[in-house]
Amino acid sequence: MEVTPDPAEGQTPLDEDEKEGLLIPTIATRGELDEFEQLGIQRAVEWSLRRRFEIGQILTEEFVQALHRRMFGEVWEWAGQFRRTNKNLGSDVNEIRPSLRLLLDDARYWAEHRGYPPDEIAVRFSHRIVSVRPFPNGNGRHSRLIADILVEHGYERPPFSWGRASLVSVGDARTAYLRALRAADDQDYGPLLRFARE
């Protein structure tokens, strides 16, 4: 019996259900999808660098959705729309909006009353929004970019490095990031703060 080797990393074909909502029909592999998504993310970063945002603008449901749409809108038809199905992680679909509103209220309170240092406000915000998982996909990348925008525009601090590596593919940086997120789940934000500035 001949054994077929596993496809090279990034060359894994997309399943038909993974293509649902895909706007570019020629994308056939995970690697191609990653490339197109990364282009959209880079455009969103450039867009954010050409503008000035106040904390009050960033900490709104409209901004949260608009940023996701900017990041993924050329690849996915559902970009910027809250998910409609439950996943094994994140808030129940009926709790996405209430959970997000609570987070935005908390973050505005932290900012107004200086409840935490600026880096911690942004990192806590990133952790909480990724825990809600408001979108069908791209939640981690979205949560990190919105934290960068918050710390950079709201507090005039440099954006985070997030381990200086891609957190999309499996590797040491992703493992360290996930470990830091789990610590934050238990209210220990130290590892995530350190990872964000590595």
Side-chain angles (χ1 to χ4, degrees):
M1 179 170 118
E2 187 175 322
V3 177
T4 307
D6 289 335
E9 186 175 329
Q11 298 310 310
T12 306
L14 293 174
D15 295 334
E16 287 309 308
D17 62 328
E18 292 177 305
K19 292 181 180 180
E20 190 174 329
L22 195 58
L23 295 173
I24 306 167
T26 57
I27 293 176
T29 67
R30 172 67 49 198
E32 292 169 348
L33 176 59
D34 290 346
E35 285 179 36
F36 277 97
E37 286 181 335
Q38 188 55 43
L39 283 171
I41 292 166
Q42 194 56 44
R43 285 189 198 105
V45 169
E46 291 167 7
W47 167 81
S48 75
L49 293 174
R50 290 192 306 266
R51 284 161 178 73
R52 287 295 326 144
F53 300 107
E54 301 295 323
I55 290 175
Q57 288 176 278
I58 300 165
L59 298 176
T60 64
E61 186 175 305
E62 293 77 20
F63 189 88
V64 167
Q65 290 183 282
L67 180 62
H68 192 274
R69 197 169 21 262
R70 283 228 172 246
M71 294 171 72
F72 300 106
E74 292 182 21
V75 179
W76 296 106
E77 68 182 22
W78 44 255
Q81 297 173 28
F82 295 140
R83 63 182 162 81
R84 296 183 184 128
T85 59
N86 283 322
K87 305 292 181 190
N88 60 338
L89 297 170
S91 297
D92 180 277
V93 291
N94 297 313
E95 292 300 316
I96 290 172
R97 274 203 155 87
S99 296
L100 184 58
R101 273 191 221 109
L102 179 61
L103 167 57
L104 293 167
D105 288 347
D106 286 349
R108 284 190 291 266
Y109 181 88
W110 301 334
E112 184 179 334
H113 297 282
R114 296 188 177 104
Y116 301 105
D119 276 8
E120 189 166 349
I121 289 172
V123 165
R124 282 176 177 267
F125 185 79
S126 174
H127 169 256
R128 292 256 309 267
I129 199 167
V130 82
S131 297
V132 172
R133 302 186 81 74
F135 304 106
N137 205 338
N139 290 290
R141 291 169 285 176
H142 174 269
S143 77
R144 291 187 296 276
L145 181 53
I146 202 166
D148 286 345
I149 293 170
L150 181 57
V151 80
E152 193 171 11
H153 290 257
Y155 296 103
E156 298 181 359
R157 302 222 347 106
F160 297 110
S161 63
W162 300 109
R164 299 191 191 283
S166 170
L167 300 177
V168 175
S169 49
V170 176
D172 292 342
R174 183 171 174 79
T175 300
Y177 175 62
L178 294 175
R179 192 177 309 120
L181 285 176
R182 283 191 290 276
D185 290 344
D186 293 329
Q187 302 304 307
D188 178 5
Y189 283 90
L192 191 53
L193 282 162
R194 287 189 295 277
F195 182 84
R197 286 290 180 205
E198 277 184 358

